[in-house]
Structures are given as structure tokens and as C-alpha cells.
Amino acid sequence: ETNQDLNSDQINDFYDVELLDADAPTTVANFLQYTTDGTYNGVIVHRSPPSFVIQGGGFAVNNGTVSSVVKRAPINNEFDSANRNVRGTLSMAQLGGQPNSGTSEWFVNVIDNSTNLDAAQHTVFGEVIGNGMQVVDAINQLSIFDLSEALNQSALGETPLAVSPLTALTGSVSITNNSSVITGNGTLFTSEVQVGDALQIGGATVFVTSIASDTLLGVDIEAAGTRSSLAATLFTAPTDDDFVVFSNIGEILDNV
């Protein structure tokens, strides 16, 4: 078995993981290869549904740009019913209904998820040790944001951030069915918004294409209904420091 030192910049702490190389040798070797070849440099926790898991290994951030890591071929599933997906375990992520689809992504179980994740045969290949779950819990308690449309990454629907990327605009707005024009009431579009900005209105993300006045602007999508007195928020792309970034994932002990 080996220990891993996972160091998160945003939480400014680390947690150690004991890897189960005797029970899941292929999965552990796969994880260590991604570790040693530099794939995990700058990797982020890109998914953190509350009281469920924190998930990483799939995306990295560099100068504000979030991109997918380069993945090797999928590995064979090594699920062992003796190693259940209980709180504190490190497990492989996979495509739904495809046990042999695991590549670079992994997650830590924040609660006992054995009922549903064991049935899906997610391979447990490690366990957080010591006081490490305090760090995991701190990550899982950060506010999460849907960055999927704004950053054009469909997997970033529940991403934890230290700082909100949303700023409320002055006034309220109205949308009209089949129209791409946003009408403001008490708004200050000319001073608060620029062409190309992403706005969240009524649960949808739209991009500004034109600004006619303080109370009138155009967006790239036609509304699917008519609604008034909606709040509008401006999306500002997060900086690297806003994400939970693993500055180092490295082997610290060869044999236990």
C-alpha cells in the first residue's frame, strides 16, 4: 500500500490517502501513472455535489482556462464487494452503466454511498487517512456553481468555488417569448455590461450580442417564454485561485 499527499491550494491544506494496491493493483497503477507523468498538475475539484462526493482528475486550470486533461485508455474494473463506497474512500469515476470506462477521474465519498455506487461497481482503490476528511468536508462545504455553459464544459455543473462568479445587475429584466431582446427596468446596461459578457437570467445563461441603451440589450438566445421582474446576474470567469486546485498529488511513501 502507498500513501498519497494531495495538496489543495484553495483550502491551503492537504489530505493523505492510503492506496489499496493489493486489492486494486491496476487501478492504483493507473492513478500513480497519471500522478507521475504530470497529468494531475493543476487539476481541480470540478464536481462537488453537497453531502455526496468531491470529484477530480478530469480538468485542470491554467491562467483562467479550464481544459480537459489528456486521458489514457480505460482500465478494467476491479470492483471488490469487500471494499465498499463508504465515507472517506477513494473511488474511480466512470461513465454511467460502463464499469470498464474508468480513466483519469476519481472521487472521495463524503458520505456512505455504498447502496448506489457499489451497485454501479465503482472501484474503491484508496482511503483517506488521519484527519484528512476535515479537508474533504471543507471542500464539499464550499458553494457550488454551474459553469457548464459559461465555460463550455458540460461537466462543470456543480463546481466548488471560493468566490462567487456572479454579480447582481441593477434593476430587473423582462424576456419575451421567441425574442432575443432583454428589456430592463431600472437597469444600467451601458455601464454594467459589455458585448460578449455572459448573463444568467431566469435559470439560463445567455451571451450579450448588443447593447442599445441602459434598458435594452440583445442576447444570443431567444427566450422560451415571457417573464418579467427577473433578476439578472453578470458572470465573471473565475481565476485560478477561485478553484480548488491540487498543487501537488504525489507519492510520499512506497511501502507501509
Side-chain angles (χ1 to χ4, degrees), residues 13-244:
D13 211 333
F14 66 90
Y15 59 89
D16 292 333
V17 175
E18 185 175 46
L19 298 180
L20 307 177
D21 52 350
D23 296 334
T26 299
T27 308
V28 169
N30 176 73
F31 180 83
L32 291 177
Q33 182 60 47
Y34 279 113
T35 298
T36 57
D37 69 11
T39 299
Y40 287 152
N41 293 341
V43 76
I44 64 172
V45 174
H46 68 270
R47 180 170 176 257
S48 181
S51 299
F52 185 46
V53 303
I54 64 167
Q55 184 169 335
F59 297 86
V61 62
N62 184 24
N63 292 326
T65 299
V66 178
S67 56
S68 300
V69 304
V70 177
K71 300 181 179 182
R72 298 192 305 277
I75 60 174
N76 289 329
N77 184 277
E78 294 180 300
F79 175 74
D80 183 346
S81 59
N83 296 320
R84 308 186 68 194
N85 281 271
V86 297
R87 172 175 164 82
T89 51
L90 177 67
S91 192
M92 281 297 293
Q94 61 197 34
L95 300 176
Q98 301 181 47
N100 293 315
S101 63
T103 54
S104 67
E105 294 191 31
W106 40 263
F107 58 86
V108 176
N109 286 294
V110 176
I111 63 169
D112 184 346
N113 292 312
S114 57
T115 298
N116 58 327
L117 297 187
D118 287 2
Q121 297 190 334
H122 286 273
T123 299
V124 171
F125 66 101
E127 181 179 12
V128 177
I129 59 176
N131 296 321
M133 286 305 293
Q134 294 178 9
V135 178
V136 173
D137 289 338
I139 295 171
N140 193 237
Q141 289 163 11
L142 291 173
S143 297
I144 59 173
F145 299 91
D146 185 351
L147 310 179
S148 55
E149 292 185 61
L151 298 186
N152 195 29
Q153 294 281 5
S154 61
L156 304 184
E158 299 172 294
T159 303
L161 295 175
V163 178
S164 173
L166 303 175
T167 303
L169 297 184
T170 302
S172 62
V173 302
S174 299
I175 57 177
T176 303
N177 190 41
N178 295 328
S179 173
S180 59
V181 175
I182 306 296
T183 302
N185 180 18
T187 48
L188 301 171
F189 292 150
T190 58
S191 59
E192 294 184 343
V193 179
Q194 298 182 28
V195 171
D197 281 348
L199 304 180
Q200 291 192 359
I201 300 174
T205 299
V206 297
F207 290 88
V208 177
T209 57
S210 63
I211 303 171
S213 67
D214 270 342
T215 58
L216 205 64
L217 59 77
V219 295
D220 63 330
I221 300 175
E222 293 182 352
T226 298
R227 299 170 65 186
S228 59
S229 300
L230 297 174
T233 55
L234 171 67
F235 174 86
T236 303
T239 66
D240 292 11
D241 288 341
D242 294 336
F243 290 93
V244 178

